[in-house]
Amino acid sequence: MEQFSITKTAQGFHVEGFPDAVKVLRITGQRSKRLANLALHRADLDFAFECLIAINQAPEKPHLLRQALWRSAVVHFIKCFGQSESRFSLDPKKVYKGNAGAFEPYEYFESLRNKHLVHDENSFAQCLPGAVLNSDGMDHKIAKIVCLSVIGDTLSQENYSNLHLLITLARDWAVAQFDELCDVLIAELEPKSYEELLVLDGITYTAPGPEDVHKRRNAL
């Protein structure tokens, strides 16, 4: 699974690195949809991985910056395994097959995302309301109503290392699946005549607008 540069031209988009190419054909069908889904999973996993790398480059202060990168890494990682109506979800049993030690850390991050970072359900976030009692003889016995908010810090070296490994294994799995599917698609297209291939539609892109934020992405 290679990365290629894309430049915008008057005719559309140009994929760099193919000097003899005349067109980028649009491929459709279930295999095409799975290929696109794998590429989107890879993009999310890459983003999560880059967030981890950025944590090591971020200063200790402000504390918010490292926490934002950490939470974003966890959320984008688990996003690949969560339910979606627009793409298939990665199955941890398949992704981490042969790595029995990965399941417990995976379940930890799944719950961390679902029950703390995105939905506030567990004890990692607590708020303790209290009343400040003045000393005897003051005009007011209660000085102030306060709330002590405590958020558990999950950015530890152990958690960082576990997430780094989980993302790496998931990326390797997605890339292997992608490359294997590319070989299948090439084997299907190569026997066709040049004339048959040339008349196929090229890929097109329509930028999303504000109204598209409410809509489910169309299946390929």
Side-chain angles (χ1 to χ4, degrees):
M1 191 175 191
E2 303 169 79
Q3 303 285 344
F4 300 100
S5 298
I6 298 177
T7 55
K8 193 175 186 306
T9 66
Q11 292 74 36
F13 292 99
H14 177 72
V15 182
E16 303 291 344
F18 302 93
D20 299 321
V22 296
K23 190 176 184 179
V24 181
L25 306 177
R26 179 173 180 261
I27 52 178
T28 59
Q30 287 303 310
R31 290 194 178 97
S32 170
K33 182 179 180 181
R34 181 173 176 83
L35 190 74
N37 290 340
L38 286 166
L40 290 174
H41 282 309
R42 169 66 189 273
D44 279 330
L45 293 168
D46 281 348
F47 183 82
F49 190 85
E50 288 166 8
C51 284
L52 288 185
I53 300 304
I55 288 173
N56 293 327
Q57 301 168 347
E60 290 290 340
K61 293 183 179 180
H63 182 67
L64 176 67
L65 181 57
R66 290 165 64 88
Q67 281 298 313
L69 289 166
W70 172 245
R71 295 183 184 198
S72 189
V74 174
V75 168
H76 278 79
F77 166 65
I78 294 297
K79 176 184 176 183
C80 295
F81 296 86
Q83 296 299 314
S84 171
E85 295 182 352
S86 295
R87 72 182 186 191
F88 79 90
S89 301
L90 298 187
D91 183 349
K93 293 181 180 178
K94 294 181 180 179
V95 173
Y96 301 117
K97 184 179 181 181
N99 294 278
F103 289 101
E104 185 175 346
Y106 167 80
E107 290 175 347
Y108 170 86
F109 287 111
E110 182 182 42
S111 290
L112 184 65
R113 184 268 184 198
N114 295 337
K115 300 182 183 298
H116 174 52
L117 298 182
V118 176
H119 305 289
D120 181 23
E121 297 179 3
N122 62 25
S123 61
F124 277 58
Q126 298 184 43
C127 186
L128 309 173
V132 178
L133 178 63
N134 279 330
S135 58
D136 190 20
M138 300 294 292
D139 291 341
H140 300 284
K141 292 186 283 295
I142 303 301
K144 196 77 173 179
I145 298 297
V146 296
C147 286
L148 174 62
S149 297
V150 184
I151 307 298
D153 188 2
T154 59
L155 179 50
S156 65
Q157 185 57 57
E158 181 182 7
N159 282 346
Y160 182 98
S161 298
N162 283 339
L163 185 58
H164 188 284
L165 177 60
L166 290 171
I167 293 173
T168 300
L169 292 173
R171 286 204 308 173
D172 290 346
W173 185 89
V175 168
Q177 292 286 309
F178 182 94
D179 290 343
E180 181 180 323
L181 195 49
C182 284
D183 291 340
V184 172
L185 289 167
I186 289 175
E188 290 180 350
L189 291 170
E190 193 65 32
K192 296 180 181 294
S193 69
Y194 187 81
E195 290 72 20
E196 288 179 291
L197 295 172
L198 190 61
V199 298
L200 294 177
D201 292 334
I203 60 172
T204 58
Y205 170 73
T206 302
E211 69 282 356
D212 292 308
V213 74
H214 307 290
K215 302 175 184 177
R216 188 176 72 181
R217 185 175 68 249
N218 291 330
L220 296 176

